[in-house]
Amino acid sequence: MNWLLGGALLALGSVPVATTAQTPLPMATVVPEGTILDVTAVGKVSRVPDLATVRAGVVTQDAVAATAMAQNAQRMAAVVAALKKAGIAPRDIATSRVALAPQYRYAENQPPVVTGYQASNTVSVRFRDVAKAGPVLDALVRAGANQIDGPTLSLTDAAGALDEARADAVTRARARATLYAKAAGLTVDRIVSIGEAGESDGEPPRPFAQMRAAAPQADAASAVLPGESELSATLNVRFLLK
């Protein structure tokens, strides 16, 4: 029996013992010799919007759906013709919505009753000369448009303006880093990294209708006032101080 037990122990001793898997050590982050400073800076530029986008359309109602649509199409054709007559290029006129919806009469404890239909057709119009937007929209109303919404004011070269804001953000970040470094008795050695944290391509759209006269007059005309929009870019900049 002893020799059997001894052989079993000998055989067991010859089996390789499983070792616990070693967890790989985390890689060390190499930090440059010096002091790291992180700065968040916002660069800004101001521009006068040179592009206005307005939605204009026609809403018609009739007891018969087909009639409501036919009347709408006729009046909308006059609106589009007025746009082209005003010099708006076809590429700047785009249909944004066409709809036909039933109109209901509601009474207590009774199911809704269809009383007619409302048809609507809306186009999005881009004005590349903002100053001419108001008079053109007045012409559209005279041509039959009874729905106007906007404008959305923007820049044709928003990307270029944002690039200037980014450059301004870097300048502001470096100025702030220089201030901190001087206060700490150090100097700015170099930029280690730059990361974008966000951007804004302008202010929210402003209300459209502003009259040149305080009281309604027969010859009063609508005016689109572009004002000035501010574009901004936010950067996170890491500096090495020595």
Side-chain angles (χ1 to χ4, degrees), residues 70-231:
Q71 292 176 353
N72 190 278
Q74 184 178 8
R75 291 177 60 178
M76 198 63 197
V79 169
V80 174
L83 285 171
K84 293 180 178 179
K85 184 178 180 180
I88 306 300
R91 64 173 178 151
D92 291 328
I93 306 172
T95 299
S96 60
R97 186 173 185 270
V98 177
L100 177 67
Q103 304 298 295
Y104 297 95
R105 182 179 68 246
Y106 296 91
E108 189 175 356
N109 299 324
Q110 293 183 12
V113 178
V114 176
T115 59
Y117 295 87
Q118 177 177 284
S120 61
N121 192 332
T122 306
V123 292
S124 177
V125 186
R126 286 186 298 183
F127 295 93
R128 299 181 186 274
D129 186 346
V130 177
K132 293 182 179 179
V136 172
L137 292 177
D138 290 338
L140 294 184
V141 174
R142 291 192 294 269
N146 57 7
Q147 188 178 55
I148 294 178
D149 181 29
T152 300
L153 299 172
S154 57
L155 298 172
T156 54
D157 187 23
L162 282 172
D163 283 345
E164 291 186 32
R166 294 182 180 102
D168 181 57
V170 173
T171 300
R172 291 172 182 264
R174 184 177 288 277
R176 195 176 306 169
T178 301
L179 175 67
Y180 288 139
K182 184 177 180 180
L186 302 170
T187 59
V188 177
D189 182 66
R190 63 185 176 87
I191 292 177
V192 176
S193 65
I194 300 176
E196 287 201 3
E199 63 183 37
S200 172
D201 59 359
E203 299 176 358
R206 289 176 285 276
F208 162 68
Q210 296 195 33
M211 306 303 294
R212 290 180 183 151
Q217 298 180 10
D219 58 349
S222 300
V224 175
L225 308 177
E228 191 173 74
S229 293
E230 184 178 84
L231 296 88

Side-chain angles (χ1 to χ4, degrees), residues 27-47:
M27 295 183 63
T29 302
V30 178
V31 179
E33 183 179 351
T35 300
I36 292 296
L37 172 66
D38 292 321
V39 175
T40 299
V42 180
K44 301 178 181 180
V45 295
S46 296
R47 293 287 186 274

Side-chain angles (χ1 to χ4, degrees), residues 50-69:
D50 56 0
L51 186 66
T53 304
V54 177
R55 297 205 315 165
V58 174
V59 178
T60 55
Q61 291 183 344
D62 195 88
V64 180
T67 304
M69 286 293 289

